[in-house]
């Protein structure tokens, strides 16, 4: 791929990311409006002609690794797994 083609691809990628950000803002706004209606109606489920929306609390339990490392550093080190990945960043 030539430098000119690469520059064009980067420009296109930037524009698509900008559009994606705009769309995400619109999605978030509509989601917030629907959540407001659900709060107003004091419901966690809405059903319509072709949709069903649920907005419920979800509880999860996770290991507090910071506390584990502080209380039992040897155990934390023994069970720590290191992984490597590649990050794509466009600046």
């Amino acid at each position: 791929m030539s430098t000119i083609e690469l520059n064009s691809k980067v420009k296109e990628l930037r524009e698509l990311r900008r559009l994606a950000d705009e769309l995400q803002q619109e999605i978030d706004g509509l989601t917030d409006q629907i959540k407001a209606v659900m709060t107003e109606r004091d419901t966690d489920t809405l059903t319509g002609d072709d949709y069903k929306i649920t907005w419920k609390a979800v509880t999860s339990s996770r290991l507090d690794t910071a506390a584990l490392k502080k209380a039992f550093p040897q155990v934390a080190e023994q069970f720590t797994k290191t992984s490597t990945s590649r990050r794509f960043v466009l600046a």
Side-chain angles (χ1 to χ4, degrees):
M1 182 180 300
S2 72
T3 302
I4 292 172
E5 291 171 319
L6 185 58
N7 287 341
S8 176
K9 295 289 181 193
V10 170
K11 184 177 179 180
E12 183 180 1
L13 178 58
R14 284 185 171 147
E15 177 64 14
L16 289 172
R17 284 185 174 178
R18 185 190 65 74
L19 290 172
D21 288 343
E22 286 179 12
L23 285 174
Q24 190 59 55
Q25 288 176 7
E26 287 186 43
I27 289 168
D28 293 343
L30 289 172
T31 300
D32 289 344
Q33 289 176 24
I34 293 168
K35 287 178 181 178
V37 168
M38 295 175 84
T39 300
E40 202 175 278
R41 295 183 184 180
D42 193 31
T43 186
D44 59 7
T45 305
L46 288 177
T47 305
D49 295 337
D50 64 345
Y51 65 87
K52 179 179 179 182
I53 300 170
T54 58
W55 184 35
K56 299 180 180 183
V58 177
T59 304
S60 62
S61 298
R62 297 173 194 250
L63 182 63
D64 184 348
T65 56
L68 178 64
K69 287 177 184 178
K70 186 175 181 181
F72 303 101
Q74 295 85 7
V75 173
E77 186 177 330
Q78 181 182 355
F79 290 97
T80 298
K81 179 180 172 183
T82 302
S83 63
T84 303
S85 63
R86 293 172 57 165
R87 181 179 302 153
F88 183 82
V89 177
L90 171 61

